[in-house]
Amino acid sequence: MDDSRRPLAGLSRRTMLTGSIAGVGTALAYASPAAAAADPAESTAPGAGTYENGSPHITTTGSWTTLSSPADSGGSISYSTSTRASAALTFTGTSVSWISRRTPSSGTNEVWIDDALVATIDRYSPTARAKQTVWTSGTLPAGTHTITLKRGSTKNPAATGSTIILDAFVVEDTPAPPQTPVPAPIADWSFTESAAPYASAVAGAPALLQGASSTATRISTPFGGGVRFNGTTDFLVVPKSDIGVLNVGASTGAVTVAAWVLSTDSNNANIAGIWEESAVGPLRSYALFNDLPDYGGDDMVCMEVSKQGGPTPGYPFSIDYSSEPRKMTRGVWELHVGTYDGELAIAYLNGESTSYPSYTDKQGATYAKNPYVYPDGLNAAPGDFMVGAVGRDGKLINLHKGSIARLRVWDRALTADEVRALHAAERADLG
């Protein structure tokens, strides 16, 4: 019978040994030539709880010594100096922690989760410290996992030994929070067609047309279909005569724009919205942008809004946008979201919005950028809805170089929980 893996407790035919560990003292060790017969009730992985070093659920390799002390969890620890010593627990839960001692003779030990090395822990301490949480997993997917501690082969230069010490494993099983439902958008372009026009999955919303001289190309993405833009001539458009439900300035006065974005250059860009800059008339209303550096949005997700439809009074350009202060990452897929509820514009990156409480602009005015206070509302007579660029009197500006997928518009401001739920539901597609 192979006795290389055995419980620390419930052993039969024990042989008494003596040993010592620096900073711990003298102890009794028990080795067995054979593991105790497995209890059928133990074949199911245990759940939340504290599993002391002597738990029958813990299996080991190598020779382990047990030392009793009231300073430790459960009144004892187990330690080993065997070259290939290990201790493992298979459990059902969402996190696990390793409780140990830090001592002058402690080594640098390995932590494995589900057969993957996840951490190396130097437990050296010039003085012995009991009942220390030396490692915790953070949140794990719900289900069955195995934590394995391995002695390893290295130590702190100051350490007098390289022991591995197990006091206890603490398993937690936190139920997943209730899923926040995300309301249906008024427009949803998943780019399932091989080429433009791209129909909305929501009835009543207009299709996106290929822009003049544009060659924006349909591609496959982790989210299904998407469109690649060349950053020079490519854009998609809904002419202002056909925007219909997208003219939220004439209906609810509130809006959310969300898209998965992969940006491949450092230029500022319009992702999607109604933001036509024209001398013909005030045609701006709302738009989700990347990287608006003039007024506090450098390399940030920005949500721009306008009631007047033109530049902010007293400024050469519009300053009326929120900026999520965490920087974008070029070359990777990110969820960019902008919301406006009639009072506040808020920008989100990957499901979260970070406060940007103070910004001083070029004219000396100081104000918050996320959320951005704008109680004026939205322009009810705007211009074209455009994706990947902005029109300015027949020319293209703010061109996006990269790709866009899962573009959606709501006629309300999604809440922070709804944006978070949207990201949580879709990020799994990234693998």
Side-chain angles (χ1 to χ4, degrees), residues 72-415:
D72 299 304
S73 174
S76 70
I77 61 165
S78 293
Y79 70 90
S80 179
T81 58
S82 296
T83 302
R84 297 180 181 178
S86 69
L89 171 69
T90 296
F91 62 93
T92 300
T94 56
S95 71
V96 61
S97 298
W98 170 24
I99 312 302
S100 184
R101 282 192 179 191
R102 295 186 183 273
T103 72
S105 61
S106 289
T108 298
N109 310 134
E110 298 176 355
V111 183
W112 295 66
I113 293 290
D114 300 333
D115 296 322
L117 177 63
V118 295
T120 53
I121 307 299
D122 180 1
R123 292 185 305 95
Y124 167 76
S125 172
T127 58
R129 292 185 289 159
K131 204 155 58 176
Q132 301 289 301
T133 301
V134 295
W135 181 84
T136 188
S137 67
T139 302
L140 299 170
T144 300
H145 303 279
T146 298
I147 180 173
T148 304
L149 309 180
K150 297 184 180 181
R151 177 172 171 262
S153 58
T154 62
K155 67 182 183 68
N156 190 297
T160 60
S162 56
T163 60
I164 181 171
I165 299 175
L166 173 62
D167 188 346
F169 291 121
V170 178
V171 174
E172 296 183 2
D173 194 2
T174 304
Q179 188 70 26
T180 301
V182 180
I186 60 171
D188 184 345
W189 297 282
S190 296
F191 306 107
T192 57
E193 299 85 353
S194 60
Y198 299 105
S200 167
V202 180
L208 292 171
L209 309 179
Q210 189 77 270
S213 302
S214 173
T215 58
T217 306
R218 195 269 186 188
I219 60 171
S220 294
T221 78
F223 315 98
V227 176
R228 179 184 293 124
F229 300 81
N230 62 17
T232 56
T233 59
D234 287 348
F235 69 101
L236 302 176
V237 64
V238 178
K240 64 180 179 181
S241 58
D242 298 328
I243 59 175
V245 296
L246 300 176
N247 185 9
V248 294
S251 57
T252 62
V255 68
T256 297
V257 182
W260 283 92
V261 177
L262 189 154
S263 178
T264 58
D265 73 1
S266 59
N267 294 328
N268 50 40
N270 172 44
I271 302 305
I274 302 176
W275 201 260
E276 186 175 352
E277 300 187 10
S278 174
V280 175
L283 303 178
R284 310 175 201 185
S285 185
Y286 63 88
L288 179 65
F289 279 88
N290 286 346
D291 189 13
L292 296 178
D294 286 343
Y295 297 99
D298 188 28
D299 282 334
M300 301 174 191
V301 178
C302 302
M303 182 61 177
E304 196 148 20
V305 290
S306 178
K307 174 66 172 180
Q308 297 87 1
T312 302
Y315 287 81
F317 308 107
S318 173
I319 70 168
D320 300 315
Y321 54 88
S322 58
S323 303
E324 161 52 46
R326 290 173 298 147
K327 300 290 187 177
M328 299 163 43
T329 301
R330 312 284 180 172
V332 300
W333 285 102
E334 298 179 319
L335 181 64
H336 295 189
V337 178
T339 70
Y340 177 66
D341 63 3
E343 295 286 337
L344 300 174
I346 304 177
Y348 295 82
L349 173 62
N350 290 333
E352 299 294 335
S353 178
T354 309
S355 175
Y356 190 169
S358 181
Y359 168 75
T360 300
D361 67 24
K362 299 174 183 178
Q363 297 186 202
T366 299
Y367 42 87
K369 290 298 293 184
N370 205 37
Y372 180 79
V373 178
Y374 190 80
D376 298 12
L378 299 174
N379 183 9
D384 300 339
F385 181 93
M386 296 181 66
V387 180
V390 163
R392 177 185 285 170
D393 293 327
K395 297 181 180 180
L396 295 177
I397 61 172
N398 301 126
L399 286 132
H400 172 61
K401 185 175 183 180
S403 303
I404 294 174
R406 291 303 312 271
L407 174 60
R408 287 148 291 181
V409 178
W410 286 260
D411 61 354
R412 50 159 287 187
L414 295 185
T415 67

